[in-house]
Amino acid sequence: MGQLLVVEGVCKRYGAEEVLCGVSFSLEKGETKVIIGPSGTGKSTLLRCINRLTEPDRGRVWLEGMEVTAPHANINKIRSQIGFVFQDFNLFTHLTALDNVRLGLLKVKKMGRKEATERAQAELARVGLAGKADAYPAQLSGGQQQRVSIARALAMDPKLILFDEPTSALDPELIGEVLGVMVKLAHEGMTMLVVTHEMGFARSVADEIVFMERGVIVEQGPPEKLFRAPAHPRTAEFLRKISELYGEAA
Amino acid sequence: MGLDWAWLPQLAHGLKITMELTAACMAMGAALGIVLALLRVYARGPFLPLFWLASAYVQFFRGTPLLVQLMIIHFGLPSVGIRFTPFLSGLIAMGLNTAAYQAEYFRGAIQAVKAGQMLAARSLGMTRVAAIRHVVLPQALRLALPPWSNELIYMLKYSTIVYMIGVMDLMGVARTIAARNFRFLELFSLAAVIYLGIVLLLTFALRWVERRIRVPGLGSAGRG
Ligand SMILES: Nc1ncnc2c1ncn2[C@@H]1O[C@H](COP(=O)(O)OP(=O)(O)OP(=O)(O)O)[C@@H](O)[C@H]1O
Ligand SMILES: [Mg+2]
């Protein structure tokens, strides 16, 4: 089976600092891959290099065999097929929940108003927020905002969704509702690449876990293996630290 | 001492000129100001010269007195063959001048829109232009409304200088009548009261607009 996403040798440097050095991995259709690693390791940079919100210095990315990093690739078209969920939601402040979900449909997909509205309402219902269509982001809790932002990504019919620490900005009691939506998506067969510190989610949902440190992939493998018998001492040390910080992990 | 009802039609006509001049220069200033602000925020790379141009424009028009600009346009330009009616000279000078100030308000507002907003728009596949148009500007314009309202009131009052090039605005009419009958105190006081009335009216109207377009979480009202 062909890979949905292939990342090959991606490098990115900011000034003297090499943030990513030769990161390669791939994602099958329907797969959920979780990226873990210490802060400042380049996880966000990696996600942004995939849809070129950040231009990688070197390396190539393919989505369903189409090269994202090709010089003349239609990057806007490609981005519309890759959902991106941000740590701090980035909902459009001036738009209601419904309009947030609808904007991409209207302005990128050029969908008709009626169809876009119906689709947006369906996506809000899918994340459990049918009743909040008319609320502005500032009137929603963090968990609700993040669910709207997932609905916004889903509405575009993405081939893949990138999640950049989707629950890190949330109060602990709101994390569950967002993870719940993500678990549901994984089970429905959505292809997801998730940066997170939520080890419970990684353990139960991820097909594979990637441990990154200082811009390189140290180790990757299925969660049972990585959690039980990490091949690399750095991985073991990180997992120990994370379990101290976030409680449950073992 | 005493007011003469016969002045009113003339003053009313002057007021009409004042309002037309102010409205037109504010519209011109807003259109030009938004373009200048966009250039100052976004023109980079191959467009860098446009950034310089916009910056130089703002610097020049904020760095020299409006009255001097008015005199150059009305009395200076004819010597190179460019001639405008007094009203047009006034409109051009005030429009070009307020554009520079408005550009700064708009620029501040555009830069106050969080970077994540542009990022989110681009991640959906919007072009930069679409993201500016549908995401950044709608927020920036709301943020810019309070300073823009001040600018409007400021320009209404500043429009009085056009009497110096012979425009029969409210100030020009008051001065002309007074020069005939020497009742300076009555006429200028009357003019002052009329200006004050218009300013109060505008203030209320703009507050109403601000309330109408307010969105929770955007602008001075903060979150909630
Ligand atoms: N636009 C930028 N300009 C300069 N340096 C940057 C930029 N973006 C990221 N960096 C640097 O690159 C490094 C990696 O950042 P990145 O945000 O990708 O890490 P991360 O693994 O996502 O960390 P975190 O867990 O804190 O989110 C950091 O040292 C950061 O300071
Ligand atoms: Mg990050």
Side-chain angles (χ1 to χ4, degrees), chain A residues 14 17 19 38-45 87 165 197:
Chain A
Y14 285 116
E17 190 191 2
V19 176
S39 186
T41 275
K43 305 181 299 292
S44 300
T45 307
Q87 180 172 353
E165 298 197 35
H197 294 303

Side-chain angles (χ1 to χ4, degrees), chain B residues 133-193:
Chain B
R133 173 154 164 235
H134 300 298
V135 174
V136 177
L137 273 186
Q139 298 184 39
L141 293 182
R142 284 181 171 88
L143 295 176
L145 188 59
W148 191 87
S149 303
N150 285 340
E151 178 71 8
L152 167 58
I153 284 165
Y154 189 78
M155 287 316 280
L156 173 77
K157 293 184 290 182
Y158 222 139
S159 71
T160 49
I161 64 167
V162 297
Y163 89 87
M164 290 189 217
I165 59 169
V167 177
M168 279 299 155
D169 69 332
L170 178 54
M171 179 66 185
V173 170
R175 192 170 165 279
T176 306
I177 302 175
R180 255 187 266 119
N181 61 19
F182 300 106
R183 292 165 71 174
F184 290 101
L185 180 61
E186 290 94 326
L187 277 151
F188 286 138
S189 303
L190 197 55
V193 168

Side-chain angles (χ1 to χ4, degrees), chain A:
Chain A
M1 183 174 165
Q3 300 291 346
L4 182 92
L5 178 77
V6 176
V7 174
E8 193 182 280
V10 165
C11 297
K12 178 71 188 177
R13 109 185 0 258
Y14 285 116
E17 190 191 2
E18 184 118 57
V19 176
L20 293 175
C21 359
V23 174
S24 305
F25 64 91
S26 59
L27 220 65
E28 271 173 34
K29 192 165 172 359
E31 187 181 356
T32 296
K33 192 164 269 197
V34 165
I35 302 179
I36 59 174
S39 186
T41 275
K43 305 181 299 292
S44 300
T45 307
L46 174 61
L47 289 194
R48 286 175 186 201
C49 281
I50 289 172
N51 71 352
R52 287 171 60 192
L53 284 178
T54 295
E55 275 312 325
D57 297 335
R58 268 184 297 131
R60 298 163 82 180
V61 176
W62 287 269
L63 182 70
E64 276 190 339
M66 264 220 319
E67 189 179 349
V68 177
T69 42
H72 297 293
N74 182 349
I75 191 60
N76 291 317
K77 177 104 192 288
I78 293 170
R79 282 190 189 133
S80 74
Q81 302 171 349
I82 303 178
F84 202 110
V85 174
F86 298 87
Q87 180 172 353
D88 42 8
F89 332 133
N90 290 339
L91 287 183
F92 303 128
T93 317
H94 64 301
L95 297 178
T96 61
L98 184 75
D99 282 329
N100 262 279
V101 181
R102 202 163 48 169
L103 191 68
L105 298 176
L106 294 172
K107 305 302 175 192
V108 178
K109 292 208 148 184
K110 314 283 182 197
M111 201 181 263
R113 221 170 163 73
K114 186 161 170 288
E115 195 189 346
T117 304
E118 283 166 5
R119 180 68 199 265
Q121 278 164 342
E123 293 303 342
L124 283 177
R126 194 169 166 195
V127 299
L129 290 173
K132 293 290 183 183
D134 294 328
Y136 286 96
Q139 296 168 322
L140 297 171
S141 75
Q144 292 170 332
Q145 288 188 60
Q146 192 60 297
R147 284 189 281 154
V148 173
S149 99
I150 293 173
R152 177 173 71 179
L154 286 172
M156 302 296 285
D157 279 325
K159 299 190 161 125
L160 155 77
I161 304 184
L162 310 174
F163 293 83
D164 190 1
E165 298 197 35
T167 58
S168 293
L170 298 178
D171 293 334
E173 74 270 21
L174 301 178
I175 291 175
E177 63 189 64
V178 172
L179 291 180
V181 169
M182 292 169 63
V183 170
K184 196 172 89 179
L185 289 180
H187 289 153
E188 287 169 10
M190 178 58 73
T191 314
M192 314 203 290
L193 182 59
V194 184
V195 173
T196 186
H197 294 303
E198 292 298 325
M199 292 304 145
F201 174 83
R203 176 184 304 276
S204 59
V205 180
D207 298 299
E208 270 218 319
I209 297 186
V210 174
F211 173 59
M212 268 182 77
E213 197 177 49
R214 295 207 202 126
V216 298
I217 293 180
V218 175
E219 173 172 3
Q220 56 184 321
E224 318 82 64
K225 172 169 181 309
L226 214 89
F227 281 110
R228 202 159 309 140
H232 206 285
R234 307 287 308 153
T235 316
E237 192 189 332
F238 176 76
L239 289 172
R240 195 168 56 244
K241 268 201 211 130
I242 276 287
S243 71
E244 279 164 20
L245 263 175
Y246 290 80
E248 184 266 348

